[in-house]
Amino acid sequence: MKYQTQRVALAYFAVALALFAIQVTAGLLAGWIYVVPDTLSVLLPFNIVRMLHTNALIVWLLLGFFGAAYYLIPEESETEIYSTRLAYLQLVILVVGTLGAVVGYLFRIHEGREFLEQPLWVKLGIVVAALIFLFNVTVTVLKGRKTAITNVLLLGLWGIAVFFLFALYNPDNLGVDKLYWWYIVHIWVEGVWELVMAAILAFLMLKMTGVDREVIEKWLYAIVALSLFTGLLGTGHHYYWIGAPGYWQWVGSIFSSLEILPFFAMVLFTFAMVWKRRREHPNNAALLWSLGCAVLAFFGGGIWGFMHTLHGVNYYTHGTQVTAAHGHLAFFGAYVCLNLAIITYAMPHLLGRAPYNQVLNMISFWIMAGAMSFMTFTLTFAGVVQVHLQRVLGQGFMEVQDQLALFYQMRFGSGVAVVIGAILFLYSVLVPRRAEVIGRGPEAPAASPAE
């Protein structure tokens, strides 16, 4: 590590990986309940399992973003983090809030709003932790060098905090509730999170390819402009059927159709940087995750999002398994792969040892990427059948669900593969190689983690 305070990121990555394990385990259980619906129906009903799955996903991704910020900002700003005590205090608040929310869910204490089920005291704790984080990283950037990467990263992180404030507003009118609810759920993942994604990818490309910073920054600003231009008004594709004015059908259709552009730009960016690279970085696993992030985000968020974003199509597909297919691949490609990429890159530095078993790490990528792709195709076919039977022929919901049993069984099988891939990833980054265990230290010249 160039700066000792970067070690804060290790604690964030460790907690994030623990929640990642919980998230995929809860997802596997949820997938099994689709196959055998009575599983744990009294002790742990499906809605609670789903809360654990989705909430663990959001929290571990955010912890990964925070860890990435604490890792890359010192290098970009060429200065130590302002306060490591504040960073650890922030982590403690988030962990306590997460555990409190989970215990509350198990005792049926929640607000019931999808993705925002956390009790009010947990949300207030998240706000406090966010304020601590933003103060810490902003002061760090202000006292050091300013770069395009830190500027875009801060814009995205401030955007995450600002739009989360709408979680504190819970109007009685369901239509109004959904109007503001999408400010968080959509503008996070299809707006400000994309800025964080672009900044972290730019940092990884800068470190692993050696391409001039000026070239990377030009790409970064172009991606940011496309993300904000399309993502903010693209929120309108969620307003089609909630009682909003009819013009949102056109605004949402047009701008959400353009949301494919920033994802495509990220594909061009990452592959162009690798093509022009001026150094052979030893951490090939981190490079694979970075390229996979851009490609899978393009297909999951771009192609699958475009498939049902036009209001004439969405009239039939919204709320079906087509939506689930899009959501799974988009989240995995854009943000799960992103976090696993920065963790794969940073862990050798944080642990002070040469890049770990990269072959095992890359195998975990191909297993998880292949399984998520198969799950996406499975859910897509299930959604098409569901649309035809339920919304064209008018069959009952549960009658149609019975006819989708085969697709749910295949989805569960792909979930098993995802869990296996996750276990391999955790083993590859956390367990030292045998050569290190028997005495070959991080000073070994082979496969040095240096840039």
Side-chain angles (χ1 to χ4, degrees):
M1 294 184 300
K2 291 184 177 180
Y3 301 91
Q4 289 305 307
T5 50
Q6 287 179 283
R7 191 169 297 280
V8 171
L10 180 59
Y12 278 83
F13 288 153
V15 177
L17 289 176
L19 288 173
F20 174 49
I22 294 173
Q23 183 239 324
V24 296
T25 303
L28 187 65
L29 176 58
W32 177 250
I33 293 175
Y34 266 91
V35 178
V36 184
D38 287 337
T39 303
L40 300 177
S41 58
V42 176
L43 179 64
L44 202 62
F46 177 79
N47 68 308
I48 302 299
V49 175
R50 187 178 185 275
M51 285 183 200
L52 296 176
H53 179 54
T54 56
N55 281 236
L57 169 68
I58 294 169
V59 175
W60 94 259
L61 291 179
L62 289 174
L63 287 172
F65 293 167
F66 296 153
Y70 281 128
Y71 181 82
L72 70 85
I73 283 178
E75 288 198 23
E76 285 294 295
S77 301
E78 296 182 343
T79 184
E80 298 284 2
I81 294 171
Y82 174 74
S83 172
T84 56
R85 290 184 179 180
L86 287 177
Y88 287 119
L89 174 61
Q90 173 204 345
L91 180 60
V92 170
I93 294 173
L94 290 172
V95 170
V96 170
T98 300
L99 294 177
V102 170
V103 172
Y105 296 163
L106 296 178
F107 287 94
R108 316 299 190 263
I109 301 173
H110 55 81
E111 289 195 355
R113 303 171 76 197
E114 187 180 5
F115 299 118
L116 302 176
E117 296 95 347
Q118 309 85 22
L120 180 60
W121 70 269
V122 174
K123 291 177 179 174
L124 294 176
I126 293 172
V127 171
V128 172
L131 290 174
I132 294 173
F133 171 72
L134 292 173
F135 171 78
N136 208 4
V137 295
T138 302
V139 171
T140 303
V141 171
L142 290 177
K143 73 174 184 176
R145 181 182 64 163
K146 286 78 175 174
T147 68
I149 291 175
T150 55
N151 291 342
V152 171
L153 182 63
L154 281 182
L155 180 61
L157 293 171
W158 273 94
I160 290 173
V162 169
F163 285 102
F164 181 74
L165 294 177
F166 287 99
L168 303 177
Y169 178 51
N170 190 1
D172 295 329
N173 184 288
L174 184 60
V176 177
D177 169 45
K178 287 299 181 182
L179 189 74
Y180 292 107
W181 183 81
W182 283 114
Y183 279 16
I184 310 165
V185 178
H186 171 97
I187 294 180
W188 263 23
V189 299
E190 296 174 65
V192 292
W193 279 30
E194 286 187 30
L195 306 190
V196 176
M197 175 187 176
I200 296 175
L201 278 180
F203 175 79
L204 290 170
M205 292 298 105
L206 182 68
K207 296 298 180 181
M208 290 191 290
T209 66
V211 175
D212 291 339
R213 180 180 290 273
E214 291 77 10
V215 176
I216 289 177
E217 288 180 347
K218 289 177 181 177
W219 275 97
L220 181 57
Y221 281 129
I223 293 170
V224 168
L226 286 172
S227 298
L228 293 178
F229 173 72
T230 61
L232 295 179
L233 286 175
T235 310
H237 67 233
H238 300 296
Y239 295 166
Y240 294 160
W241 324 118
I242 66 172
Y247 58 74
W248 279 112
Q249 295 185 12
W250 291 101
V251 173
S253 294
I254 293 170
F255 283 92
S256 63
S257 297
L258 299 175
E259 286 187 60
I260 195 173
L261 297 179
F263 288 114
F264 184 61
M266 288 185 198
V267 175
L268 295 179
F269 165 62
T270 52
F271 279 87
M273 295 306 100
V274 172
W275 181 263
K276 296 178 180 179
R277 62 181 168 179
R278 296 159 55 184
R279 69 162 65 111
E280 291 292 331
H281 197 277
N283 200 330
N284 292 313
L287 189 62
L288 176 63
W289 281 105
S290 301
L291 294 174
C293 168
V295 172
L296 293 175
F298 169 68
F299 280 99
I303 299 297
W304 256 256
F306 178 78
M307 280 172 53
H308 66 138
T309 197
L310 298 177
H311 65 271
V313 177
N314 190 263
Y315 178 80
Y316 294 96
T317 61
H318 75 282
T320 67
Q321 295 300 322
V322 174
T323 305
H326 159 60
H328 277 81
L329 190 59
F331 262 106
F332 177 78
Y335 305 118
V336 172
C337 286
L338 177 71
N339 272 350
L340 299 185
I342 188 65
I343 290 172
T344 299
Y345 173 81
M347 276 301 196
H349 304 267
L350 295 171
L351 297 176
R353 62 182 186 231
Y356 28 76
N357 191 332
Q358 293 195 71
V359 173
L360 189 62
N361 188 289
M362 290 189 280
I363 289 174
S364 74
F365 167 81
W366 288 112
I367 290 176
M368 280 193 276
M372 288 303 303
S373 299
F374 182 80
M375 183 185 298
T376 301
F377 283 112
T378 299
L379 291 175
T380 302
F381 287 121
V384 171
V385 173
Q386 182 182 6
V387 166
H388 181 69
L389 295 180
Q390 184 176 323
R391 300 200 167 156
V392 177
L393 299 184
Q395 295 184 14
F397 175 80
M398 292 308 300
E399 180 184 4
V400 173
Q401 292 300 302
D402 288 340
Q403 300 182 63
L404 301 180
L406 177 61
F407 297 106
Y408 293 149
Q409 293 167 10
M410 291 191 291
R411 191 258 298 274
F412 176 75
S414 61
V416 172
V418 169
V419 171
I420 293 172
I423 293 172
L424 292 179
F425 179 88
L426 294 172
Y427 183 88
S428 71
V429 297
L430 298 177
V431 179
R433 292 182 303 175
R434 182 176 300 177
E436 293 173 347
V437 174
I438 65 176
R440 178 182 156 207
E443 301 82 13
S448 169
E451 298 163 15

